Amino acid sequence: MQDIAEQLRAWHASGRSFAVATVVGVSGSAPRDPGAALAVDTAGEAVGSVSGGCVEGAVYELCQAAIESGEPVLERFGYSDEDAFAVGLTCGGILDVFVQPVVPGSDPGMDAGLACIADGTPVALARVIDGPAGLLGAALAVTADGASGSLSVGPSTVGALERALVAEARAMLDAGRTGRLVLGLDGRPCDEHEQGTVTCFVESYVPAPRMLVFGAIDFAAAVVRIGKFLGYHVTVCDARPVFATTRRFPEADEVVVDWPHRYLDSQLGRIDGRTVLCVLTHDAKFDIPLLERALRLPVGYVGAMGSRRTHRDREAKLREAGLTDTELARLRSPIGLDLGARTPDETAVSVAAEIIAHRRGGSCLPLSAGDGPIHHDVAAAAPETTEAPRTHAA
């Protein structure tokens, strides 16, 4: 919903009811990740997307029906071998979509969650998408220091369920994760196929992940551009004030003049497992102190530019500094995939491709070279689908 938050906030502020359809489960070669959303208001205006086009019409109708009935619904959309033009995913994937009507002022959890998403406050929006009828659609907005909304309808044990959901959602918010939780009515974690459970979908809305680019060189400008394109909050850092200027890096969110290792030390509270570090200086006096620290931090990616000879010399110096084989194995050097890149822009594509492959578990082989899953991370995390909500064109 983050992509359509501005429109949702406008509808909400005007008191206009609407329905939000959210992708809450993905299996196979589906076009959108969990969290993708489409919303429809009472006037029939639609914003967002759940599938890139192949099931939008059916989801639009579900949203209109939810506005009219006031009832949430969980639907499954899949490919129909008999009729590729039927409602379904011709790419062969399966999408679980939760459609929820929203009436401004009637649900404190949804109201607070939408407000946080719109103004940029980190929040985990937790909603019950399957379980007892009285709980379906119940929402909690969980922040670092509080929670809004409640699971007010249900058995006496619902208090334990609510406390467990708040704790789990806050942990997911800390990690920036979005996904499903299956809990018992007493709050204990359960298997998805157990009876008497509650399935919740938790969407974490956190600030953009950070990309720290060290070395204010011409290649850095191209890396900054592609980092912004991928949705990162990009910082350029260099100890040389003549090179580290906003004029040279107008697309960077921040340009910092400081020694790289000293700046990294100052950012420990602002980096996490989604942070990527691109070390482009290939100058030992900058690289070694920086990498000595970076490779011991819980960041998502550390890559360093340089020739193979530079890499061997750098690795030897890092061993002398006390880094272990495990720590050194985290270093991607020379940085990027072997695309034959020569220009700064081509090199930036190479770097971005490696970052994506590392994050998503890609093989880095041409898709035409194999016949396995296209989306590695989704395939690895996909739940079993033997127990399914009602299906369209399965």
Side-chain angles (χ1 to χ4, degrees), residues 44-340:
E45 181 181 356
V47 293
S49 171
V50 294
S51 71
C54 43
V55 300
E56 305 296 298
V59 173
Y60 180 89
E61 292 176 2
L62 286 173
C63 286
Q64 290 187 311
I67 293 172
E68 184 176 342
S69 69
E71 298 295 328
V73 62
L74 178 63
E75 293 280 352
R76 171 163 290 174
F77 295 90
Y79 178 59
S80 169
D81 290 321
E82 292 76 24
D83 184 2
F85 294 98
V87 176
L89 296 165
T90 55
C91 54
I94 295 173
L95 289 180
D96 290 338
V97 178
F98 184 68
V99 182
Q100 183 165 11
V102 179
V103 178
S106 68
D107 186 334
M110 284 296 294
D111 291 345
L114 290 171
C116 288
I117 294 167
D119 66 20
T121 301
V123 64
L125 180 60
R127 291 181 286 164
V128 177
I129 63 171
D130 198 12
L135 291 178
L136 193 64
L140 295 171
V142 180
T143 61
D145 54 5
S148 299
S150 66
L151 309 182
S152 58
V153 180
S156 59
T157 54
V158 78
L161 172 63
E162 184 174 309
R163 288 191 295 274
L165 181 54
V166 168
E168 294 283 356
R170 185 165 290 131
M172 292 178 71
L173 178 63
D174 288 342
R177 290 197 302 112
T178 287
R180 294 197 199 203
L181 289 173
V182 182
L183 302 171
L185 291 174
D186 58 359
R188 62 185 174 83
C190 293
D191 182 84
E192 193 165 6
H193 305 303
E194 289 186 40
Q195 297 295 316
T197 60
V198 176
T199 301
C200 305
F201 185 68
V202 181
E203 300 166 84
S204 292
Y205 298 97
V206 293
R210 298 192 68 194
M211 174 182 282
L212 306 183
V213 180
F214 296 98
I217 62 175
D218 52 353
F219 286 91
V223 171
V224 168
R225 287 194 294 272
I226 205 162
K228 291 299 296 177
F229 176 77
L230 292 176
Y232 286 94
H233 180 282
V234 183
T235 300
V236 176
C237 176
D238 197 298
R240 303 164 297 179
V242 68
F243 295 117
T245 67
T246 55
R247 181 183 292 274
R248 296 188 71 223
F249 301 99
E251 295 174 84
D253 295 287
E254 301 171 290
V255 179
V256 176
V257 178
D258 201 350
W259 278 77
H261 70 280
R262 188 164 60 190
Y263 176 70
L264 184 62
D265 286 344
S266 74
Q267 299 299 298
L268 299 184
R270 295 182 59 200
I271 60 177
D272 57 27
R274 302 176 303 148
T275 303
V276 304
L277 277 63
C278 299
V279 181
L280 309 182
T281 52
H282 50 82
D283 184 330
K285 69 176 177 291
F286 295 122
D287 290 358
I288 301 306
L290 172 62
L291 291 172
E292 182 183 350
R293 290 161 170 78
L295 294 173
R296 289 169 170 159
L297 294 176
V299 296
Y301 172 91
V302 182
M305 179 174 280
S307 67
R308 297 196 185 280
R309 178 177 177 177
T310 297
H311 170 67
R312 289 193 294 270
D313 293 343
R314 180 191 290 139
E315 190 175 58
K317 289 183 172 65
L318 290 171
R319 289 187 188 280
E320 291 173 4
L323 267 71
T324 66
D325 288 343
T326 300
E327 291 165 339
L328 287 171
R330 299 183 59 216
L331 177 60
R332 301 288 176 142
S333 175
I335 194 171
L337 297 186
D338 181 8
L339 304 183

